[in-house]
């Protein structure tokens, strides 16, 4: 049985490594879908810490994603040097900070932003918490959209472009490379980078889940009053959940900015936050494999449904917009799944059953 499990893991690892090479033969667009799916997995796992472990409904999670994306866009593009004379004097060729420097800054800044959000909402629960966090996410998006006057920092709705690609030890992920006579495109290179980051994120989440901090979060989720009575500092644990979850979003934002080469406020709308929450709920709240499954399905499903919405639009003589049809099909699929499996596609095992399995 053990050898069979090892064989399955090996087959799965080989499939993940070969996947982008197969997809790029059908066009770079399919590899880009896989890349974005990996980014959404990181975002969903980060939100799972807040929603799944600590039980805090956060509808403004995309704000931390935006913080990381804009930080890298400002520190790895010519925008600040073109706008401010002081930066132009110090950096005549524009700011091109290393990713190794930007990622720790983004992680700390996003975590700090998460704690700032957590402080005023510590005593809020349920719908009230959701409304406040939703407002916070919209505030960040509008702030980025309007920060182009009187001082142009974010370039407003025009967005920031000419962002550097990822460079690791001189290896440029922004261009194609040839290996044993086989061309590996830029999108495939980013796939392997994102896959590595996803594996690190999964490892961190599993370690957190089994740690004292993770168990304290789950105790707060089940009954905050009982957790407080048992000596858990619920205030600090909640702030830690907000900060830890936000840090994942900040790092994902840096990767998104480098991958796209362009960021604008439209990339961080309320719909993005709703989709990330839906990934966690649809897959299975608090269950890492379920969250990964939900992220893959909801990030890839809209692209796959393009091929369904097109024929349906032609059947109605173009009276229905294909984008609206696509959203309708996604909504119907989600409603169907939640009716059939209300706890998610791959829910966490019940506590009693998991204890029996361990014993």
């Amino acid at each position: 049985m053990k050898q069979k499990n090892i064989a399955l893991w090996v087959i799965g690892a080989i499939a993940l490594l070969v996947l982008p090479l197969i997809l790029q033969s059908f066009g770079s667009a399919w590899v880009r879908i896989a890349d974005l799916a990996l980014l959404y997995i990181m975002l969903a796992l980060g939100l799972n810490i807040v929603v799944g472990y600590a039980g805090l409904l956060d509808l403004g999670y995309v704000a931390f994603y935006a913080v990381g994306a804009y930080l890298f866009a400002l520190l790895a593009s010519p925008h600040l040097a073109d706008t401010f004379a002081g930066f132009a004097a110090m950096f005549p060729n524009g700011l091109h900070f290393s990713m190794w420097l930007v990622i720790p800054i983004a992680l700390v800044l996003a975590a700090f932003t998460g704690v700032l959000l957590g402080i005023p909402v510590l005593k809020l629960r349920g719908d009230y918490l959701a409304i406040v966090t939703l407002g916070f996410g919209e505030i960040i998006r509008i702030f980025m959209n309007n920060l182009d006057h009187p001082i142009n920092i974010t370039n407003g709705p025009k967005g920031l472009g000419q962002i550097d690609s990822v460079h690791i030890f001189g290896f440029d992920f922004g261009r194609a490379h040839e290996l044993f006579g086989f061309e590996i495109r830029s999108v495939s290179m980013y796939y392997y980078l994102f896959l590595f980051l996803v594996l690190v994120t999964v490892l961190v989440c599993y370690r957190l889940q089994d740690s004292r901090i993770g168990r304290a979060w789950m105790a707060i989720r089940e009954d905050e009053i009982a957790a407080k009575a048992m000596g858990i500092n619920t205030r600090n644990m909640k702030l830690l959940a907000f900060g830890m979850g936000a840090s994942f979003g900040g790092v994902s934002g840096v990767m998104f900015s480098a991958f796209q080469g362009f960021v604008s406020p439209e990339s961080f709308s309320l719909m993005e936050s709703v989709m990330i929450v839906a990934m966690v709920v649809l897959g299975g709240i608090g269950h890492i494999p379920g969250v990964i499954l939900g992220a893959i399905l909801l990030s890839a499903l809209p692209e796959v449904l393009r091929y369904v919405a097109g024929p349906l639009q032609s059947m109605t003589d173009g009276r229905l917009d294909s984008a609206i049809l696509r959203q309708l099909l996604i909504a119907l699929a989600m409603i169907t799944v939640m009716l059939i499996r209300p706890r998610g596609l791959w829910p966490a095992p019940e506590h009693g059953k998991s204890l029996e399995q361990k014993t």
Side-chain angles (χ1 to χ4, degrees):
M1 191 69 178
K2 190 175 180 180
Q3 291 179 345
K4 185 179 179 181
N5 290 336
I6 293 173
L8 289 174
W9 279 105
V10 171
I11 293 170
I14 293 171
L16 287 174
L17 292 174
V18 174
L19 179 63
L21 304 179
I22 297 173
L23 290 178
Q24 75 176 21
S25 63
F26 297 98
S28 297
W30 290 101
V31 190
R32 288 184 66 86
I33 293 171
D35 293 342
L36 291 174
L38 291 173
L39 278 178
Y40 276 113
I41 289 172
M42 284 191 279
L43 287 169
L45 288 172
L47 183 61
N48 186 53
I49 292 175
V50 184
V51 176
Y53 293 169
L56 305 168
L57 184 56
D58 186 356
L59 290 180
Y61 188 74
V62 77
F64 313 121
Y65 191 38
V67 166
Y70 268 93
L71 179 68
F72 187 75
L74 291 171
L75 296 181
S77 74
H79 173 71
L80 290 179
D82 292 343
T83 308
F84 301 100
F87 281 106
M90 290 186 291
F91 307 96
N93 297 321
L95 276 75
H96 301 284
F97 279 46
S98 170
M99 189 191 70
W100 299 109
L101 179 63
V102 178
I103 283 182
I105 297 174
L107 192 148
V108 172
L109 182 62
F112 178 71
T113 310
V115 172
L116 281 181
L117 168 63
I119 290 172
V121 301
L122 282 173
K123 294 185 179 180
L124 297 178
R125 299 179 187 174
D127 299 341
Y128 300 101
L129 177 62
I131 291 169
V132 173
T133 54
L134 183 152
F136 177 79
E138 282 298 284
I139 287 170
I140 294 295
R141 184 186 65 80
I142 295 169
F143 185 70
M144 298 298 184
N145 196 50
N146 291 281
L147 206 59
D148 57 343
H149 62 277
I151 301 173
N152 186 8
I153 297 177
T154 64
N155 211 26
K158 296 177 184 177
L160 296 172
Q162 296 180 288
I163 303 170
D164 294 345
S165 57
V166 174
H167 290 76
I168 298 179
F169 301 119
F171 187 85
D172 186 4
F173 283 75
R175 61 185 184 86
H177 294 271
E178 192 170 314
L179 183 66
F180 303 115
F182 187 81
E183 183 189 24
I184 302 177
R185 297 176 189 172
S186 170
V187 285
S188 298
M189 299 305 304
Y190 274 108
Y191 171 90
Y192 292 116
L193 175 62
F194 294 166
L195 180 62
F196 171 76
L197 291 174
V198 165
L199 293 175
V200 172
T201 305
V202 169
L203 177 63
V204 171
C205 287
Y206 269 116
R207 297 296 293 172
L208 280 172
Q209 179 178 277
D210 297 330
S211 67
R212 292 180 64 184
I213 294 173
R215 294 180 185 277
W217 283 335
M218 293 174 196
I220 293 171
R221 178 190 68 195
E222 297 301 326
D223 193 327
E224 185 177 343
I225 296 173
K228 198 169 186 177
M230 292 301 293
I232 295 173
N233 190 328
T234 56
R235 174 182 174 275
N236 289 353
M237 285 295 111
K238 283 184 177 181
L239 291 177
L240 185 60
F242 273 115
M244 187 72 73
S247 64
F248 285 76
V251 174
S252 301
V254 171
M255 293 296 108
F256 172 77
S257 184
F259 175 62
Q260 290 285 99
F262 173 81
V263 293
S264 68
E266 285 74 21
S267 300
F268 312 104
S269 63
L270 171 63
M271 191 60 192
E272 290 294 314
S273 279
V274 172
M275 285 294 286
I276 299 168
V277 173
M279 290 170 186
V280 176
V281 175
L282 182 69
I285 295 178
H287 193 220
I288 293 172
V291 171
I292 294 172
L293 177 63
I296 292 172
L297 288 178
L298 282 186
S299 58
L301 190 62
E303 304 303 324
V304 174
L305 286 178
R306 287 182 189 273
Y307 299 96
V308 179
L312 287 176
Q313 185 187 22
S314 61
M315 287 170 61
T316 59
D317 296 326
R319 285 190 293 270
L320 289 176
D321 185 20
S322 60
I324 296 174
L325 275 171
R326 209 152 45 96
Q327 293 296 328
L328 177 63
L329 292 171
I330 293 169
L332 288 174
M334 290 179 64
I335 291 170
T336 304
V337 169
M338 295 311 295
L339 286 174
I340 297 171
R341 297 185 66 85
R343 294 182 60 222
L345 290 173
W346 195 346
E350 293 178 9
H351 184 64
K353 290 182 180 179
S354 62
L355 284 178
E356 289 175 7
Q357 290 173 359
K358 288 181 180 179
T359 54

